[in-house]
Amino acid sequence: MRNIKLTIEYEGKDYNGWQKQPNHLNIQGEIERAIESVTREEVELIGSGRTDAGVHAFGQVANFKIESDFPIEKMATAINSQLKKSIRILKAEEVPIEFHSRYHCHQKTYAYIIDNSEQGTAIYRNTTYHVSQPLNVEKMQEAAKYLVGEHDFSSFKSSGTSSKSSVRTIYQAQVLKEQARVIIMLTGNGFLYNMVRIIAGTLVEIGLGNREPKEMKEILEAKDRQKAGKTLAAQGLFLMNVNYEEKKV
Amino acid sequence: MRNIKLTIEYEGKDYNGWQKQPNHLNIQGEIERAIESVTREEVELIGSGRTDAGVHAFGQVANFKIESDFPIEKMATAINSQLKKSIRILKAEEVPIEFHSRYHCHQKTYAYIIDNSEQGTAIYRNTTYHVSQPLNVEKMQEAAKYLVGEHDFSSFKSSGTSSKSSVRTIYQAQVLKEQARVIIMLTGNGFLYNMVRIIAGTLVEIGLGNREPKEMKEILEAKDRQKAGKTLAAQGLFLMNVNYEEKKV
């Protein structure tokens, strides 16, 4: 038995999210089907976690087990030949049999990309969220600092989540400006349901001057979803990478 | 009578090019229709030049004349409200009545964007051209230098072009590497039909090692389309900007 780890890029627009489900186009199901047509074996693809409908990934990670001796160096190209171009396997590697892409994940990095041009971008309209009023990036960066560390993120969690604890650790929280784009980058040991999109919504309110940066601390402490900003659209959210190294402290 | 200059971004994928034509979705026609629904006047939109089916623009320029006193500072937003999101008016300015976006154009800059990752990109698949084999950017840059100056570009012109002369001046020709992307940037006083896409096709052959950089000079001198590389796909081509200042020498 071999264990194969995949690194995957996808544009989420046309999919109903990562998770396999009947009668809805989903990324996990599409990749399983492509692997099965290459290896002629039934496989179960385990993702590092779900991404919601419309969310993109530059570096999702998943693994699956096979008996097939299909050469590893040809596997990414072979699976890609069976996939739509909105999903690309960037890398396929053989890993120890005990590797589990969800259980062994130490860190994830998400980016939320805001197009802050006045009239919006035509070319990147499906992969950015448009805010036409100018954002104060320094204030957003100041507010983002309060997120770093171990906190109960209940204020930044949509209802309907199944996680027992709302405590997560954020290692890095940055707000960057690149031409007309404002990019929110968060690295943590895990993220609650809609957590990045609610944090982004709160940071945008701060960037617009509707709230002060220090309110981020108060919102965290309130542990109340009603105190935070709105959940921004899925199209701005990217799973950037999943890290299996020891935790960075 | 007022003369209005527009700066326009568009994703070319869904359009049969810039030029107005019956029964085919085109960018000029879409924008004219949007202007007319805002100003309630029939207008003729003059572009700096055509772009082909599938070609994108970050900064196409066009102008039109109106009697309407519609406020200029609200015009871009108003026109955008009548357009699909794959076309955005970035700026609307009032200019002297004699301004003509085609006749008065001094320089244009085009970019041809190549995705040089092994497996291709899912997210930017419609706005890049994929070359999976590694490109030697230094060799491409060396070859691009031969293009700078006034030359007869007959070797880089598709048949069916109506221009009388094939002499054009290239002011700048650069090949840049940005992560997995290789970007060919050309600034000139004008470009022949398919000229950038044929130059890109020739530079890719040089980057792959199938031809030597100095062959670019021989191809130019041959004035023979058969000597140059193939015409690369429209989806990698971007009209970056159109310049109305005096020529840079």
Side-chain angles (χ1 to χ4, degrees):
Chain A
M1 187 74 98
R2 301 159 74 199
N3 194 4
I4 312 293
K5 177 187 173 193
L6 301 179
T7 306
I8 308 157
E9 179 182 332
Y10 48 83
E11 188 192 56
K13 183 167 77 81
D14 298 331
Y15 298 92
N16 204 46
W18 169 266
Q19 201 180 20
K20 205 158 88 168
Q21 49 190 310
N23 307 323
H24 282 102
L25 197 62
N26 60 82
I27 294 146
Q28 184 183 20
E30 287 297 295
I31 300 174
E32 275 188 2
R33 190 194 42 69
I35 297 167
E36 288 172 356
S37 81
V38 167
T39 62
R40 309 278 171 195
E41 276 177 63
E42 202 175 306
V43 298
E44 190 203 344
L45 185 68
I46 302 162
S48 74
R50 304 172 192 175
T51 55
D52 281 338
V55 174
H56 319 291
F58 275 114
Q60 169 69 293
V61 171
N63 72 295
F64 63 96
K65 293 179 181 171
I66 44 164
E67 296 289 352
S68 160
D69 59 358
F70 195 95
I72 189 68
E73 67 277 10
K74 292 184 178 168
M75 201 174 286
T77 304
I79 300 171
N80 281 333
S81 74
Q82 304 296 318
L83 280 170
K84 288 184 194 153
K85 292 201 183 280
S86 49
I87 305 176
R88 286 294 95 178
I89 308 299
L90 302 181
K91 203 158 64 172
E93 304 160 87
E94 201 153 347
V95 288
I97 197 72
E98 65 274 12
F99 174 84
H100 190 287
S101 62
R102 188 164 73 253
Y103 299 156
H104 297 165
C105 159
H106 276 307
Q107 278 182 22
K108 283 183 183 176
T109 298
Y110 278 96
Y112 196 90
I113 305 184
I114 296 162
D115 162 31
N116 198 207
S117 67
E118 190 182 348
Q119 297 295 342
T121 164
I123 291 167
Y124 300 120
R125 69 194 181 285
N126 294 322
T127 48
T128 53
Y129 174 75
H130 183 224
V131 175
S132 59
Q133 298 297 314
L135 292 167
N136 184 323
V137 175
E138 289 70 32
K139 284 192 174 180
M140 293 170 75
Q141 177 63 56
E142 190 188 333
K145 283 183 190 156
Y146 293 110
L147 300 168
V148 176
E150 189 183 79
H151 301 285
D152 182 323
F153 284 94
S154 295
S155 294
F156 301 97
K157 175 181 76 172
S158 284
S159 59
T161 175
S162 61
S163 11
K164 281 172 213 131
S165 163
S166 298
V167 175
R168 295 290 184 277
T169 301
I170 297 289
Y171 302 110
Q172 252 193 333
Q174 288 187 296
V175 185
L176 312 164
K177 175 111 178 137
E178 280 186 11
Q179 292 161 336
R181 293 179 176 201
V182 175
I183 303 171
I184 299 164
M185 290 275 268
L186 299 173
T187 300
N189 66 350
F191 292 86
L192 304 168
Y193 186 47
N194 281 345
M195 180 167 150
V196 182
R197 291 162 60 183
I198 300 169
I199 288 174
T202 309
L203 287 172
V204 163
E205 291 185 18
I206 291 164
L208 291 172
N210 300 335
R211 294 191 187 205
E212 286 306 310
K214 66 174 166 41
E215 288 184 53
M216 188 60 99
K217 187 164 184 282
E218 296 159 18
I219 297 165
L220 259 175
E221 287 167 357
K223 297 173 199 170
D224 175 0
R225 171 68 189 90
Q226 300 306 313
K227 303 288 187 198
K230 66 175 181 174
T231 307
L232 294 194
Q235 69 191 59
L237 185 60
F238 292 77
L239 174 55
M240 299 301 284
N241 63 65
V242 186
N243 199 328
Y244 294 89
E245 304 299 310
E246 278 305 301
K247 272 180 216 177
K248 187 162 67 180
V249 188
Chain B
M1 186 73 94
R2 302 160 74 200
N3 193 4
I4 312 293
K5 176 187 173 193
L6 301 179
T7 306
I8 308 157
E9 179 182 332
Y10 47 83
E11 187 192 57
K13 183 167 77 81
D14 298 331
Y15 298 93
N16 205 46
W18 169 266
Q19 201 182 19
K20 204 157 88 168
Q21 49 189 310
N23 306 323
H24 283 102
L25 197 62
N26 59 83
I27 295 147
Q28 185 184 19
E30 288 297 296
I31 300 174
E32 275 188 3
R33 189 193 44 68
I35 296 167
E36 288 172 358
S37 81
V38 168
T39 63
R40 309 277 171 194
E41 275 177 64
E42 202 175 307
V43 297
E44 191 203 343
L45 185 68
I46 302 163
S48 74
R50 304 172 192 176
T51 54
D52 281 338
V55 174
H56 319 290
F58 275 114
Q60 168 69 292
V61 171
N63 73 294
F64 63 95
K65 294 179 179 171
I66 45 164
E67 297 288 353
S68 160
D69 60 358
F70 194 96
I72 189 68
E73 67 278 9
K74 292 183 178 169
M75 201 173 286
T77 304
I79 301 171
N80 280 334
S81 74
Q82 305 296 319
L83 282 170
K84 288 183 193 153
K85 292 203 183 280
S86 50
I87 305 176
R88 286 294 94 178
I89 310 299
L90 301 181
K91 202 159 64 174
E93 305 160 86
E94 202 152 347
V95 288
I97 197 73
E98 64 274 13
F99 174 83
H100 190 287
S101 63
R102 188 164 72 253
Y103 298 157
H104 297 166
C105 159
H106 278 306
Q107 278 182 22
K108 283 183 183 176
T109 299
Y110 278 96
Y112 196 91
I113 306 184
I114 297 161
D115 163 31
N116 198 209
S117 67
E118 191 182 348
Q119 297 295 342
T121 163
I123 291 168
Y124 300 121
R125 70 193 181 284
N126 295 322
T127 48
T128 53
Y129 173 75
H130 183 224
V131 175
S132 59
Q133 298 297 313
L135 292 167
N136 183 324
V137 175
E138 290 70 31
K139 284 192 174 179
M140 293 169 75
Q141 177 63 56
E142 190 189 333
K145 283 183 191 156
Y146 294 109
L147 300 168
V148 176
E150 189 183 77
H151 299 286
D152 182 322
F153 284 96
S154 296
S155 293
F156 301 98
K157 175 181 77 172
S158 283
S159 58
T161 174
S162 60
S163 11
K164 283 174 212 126
S165 163
S166 298
V167 175
R168 295 291 184 277
T169 301
I170 296 289
Y171 302 110
Q172 253 195 333
Q174 288 188 296
V175 184
L176 312 164
K177 175 110 178 137
E178 280 186 10
Q179 290 162 337
R181 293 179 176 201
V182 175
I183 303 171
I184 299 164
M185 290 275 268
L186 298 173
T187 300
N189 65 351
F191 291 88
L192 304 168
Y193 186 47
N194 280 347
M195 180 167 151
V196 183
R197 292 161 60 183
I198 300 169
I199 288 175
T202 309
L203 286 172
V204 163
E205 290 185 18
I206 291 163
L208 291 172
N210 300 335
R211 295 191 185 204
E212 285 307 309
K214 67 173 164 41
E215 288 184 53
M216 187 60 99
K217 187 164 185 281
E218 297 159 18
I219 296 165
L220 259 175
E221 287 166 357
K223 296 173 198 168
D224 176 2
R225 171 68 189 92
Q226 300 306 312
K227 303 290 186 198
K230 66 175 182 174
T231 308
L232 294 194
Q235 70 191 58
L237 185 60
F238 292 77
L239 174 55
M240 299 302 285
N241 64 65
V242 186
N243 199 328
Y244 294 88
E245 304 298 311
E246 279 306 301
K247 272 180 216 177
K248 186 163 69 178
V249 188

